[in-house]
Amino acid sequence: MALVLGGAIGLVASLILVIERFELLMDPTYVPSCSLNPVLSCGSVMTSTQAAVFGFPNPVLGIPSFTVVLVAGILLVAEVPLPQWFWQGLAIGMTAGVVFVHWLIFQSLYRIGALCPYCMTVWAVSVPLWVVAASHSFSTEPVFLRRWKWTFVVLWFTVVVLLCAERFWSYWSTLV
């Protein structure tokens, strides 16, 4: 069920980001719906060079990627057996996605200096989805994964939240 929920959330966030980016391309004065303040500013992130690393908007990659995850989750819920090579391929693809997400997190925090709520939604689902895909990629789940996978996810969320809080503390502290 985690793959269905995470895949659907990631797919919706990617679709919204693509739509918002096209709106911004058609009208440079357009203010994206997720541009809320100087820190939570999708417009700043979307217009950066990092937002189109491969020459097209990054969320375009999320649409097919999260669709594959969503379909895999639906098949898993329906108890359709998928071959081990599929799970291994999904884990490898998710590993590439998670590496890319971490690069984007660094870019948002320390180069662009703004956070995009929809992008952060993609960040938030990518790591748990990766953990789930990795656990399915083994014929028998290793003990360390079974015992520690959700602890790892909670620790990851904690680190990312603390990095965001520390990076933009000068702004957050003025809101109180």
Side-chain angles (χ1 to χ4, degrees):
M1 192 53 135
L3 291 176
V4 172
L5 185 60
I9 291 169
L11 179 58
V12 168
S14 295
L15 286 168
I16 291 170
L17 280 165
V18 167
I19 291 166
E20 293 278 354
R21 180 63 179 135
F22 284 126
E23 289 288 338
L24 195 57
L25 285 172
M26 291 188 293
D27 178 8
T29 63
Y30 176 75
V31 178
S33 64
C34 48
S35 288
L36 307 174
N37 58 46
V39 172
L40 297 174
S41 176
C42 288
S44 301
V45 176
M46 284 182 190
T47 57
S48 70
T49 57
Q50 295 92 331
V53 174
F54 303 106
F56 53 85
N58 295 339
V60 170
L61 295 170
I63 294 171
S65 301
F66 286 116
T67 299
V68 168
V69 172
L70 176 60
V71 169
I74 290 168
L75 292 173
L76 190 63
V77 169
E79 298 181 6
V80 174
L82 294 170
Q84 199 61 31
W85 63 262
F86 173 83
W87 291 111
Q88 291 168 345
L90 185 62
I92 290 167
M94 290 297 303
T95 299
V98 164
V99 168
F100 189 50
V101 159
H102 283 86
W103 181 80
L104 291 169
I105 291 170
F106 176 83
Q107 295 301 313
S108 288
L109 291 174
Y110 304 107
R111 298 296 180 257
I112 301 167
L115 298 171
C116 167
Y118 295 128
C119 299
M120 292 188 305
T121 301
V122 170
W123 304 350
V125 297
S126 294
V127 169
L129 287 174
W130 172 67
V131 168
V132 171
S135 68
H136 281 286
S137 71
F138 297 99
S139 53
T140 57
E141 188 178 38
V143 174
F144 76 91
L145 260 179
R146 187 175 35 244
R147 287 187 183 164
W148 296 102
K149 66 183 171 190
W150 299 117
T151 303
F152 170 77
V153 170
V154 169
L155 180 62
W156 179 83
F157 272 100
T158 303
V159 168
V160 171
V161 167
L162 289 174
L163 287 171
C164 292
E166 184 278 328
R167 171 61 179 89
F168 299 108
W169 187 253
S170 60
Y171 178 75
W172 304 128
S173 63
T174 65
L175 299 177
V176 192

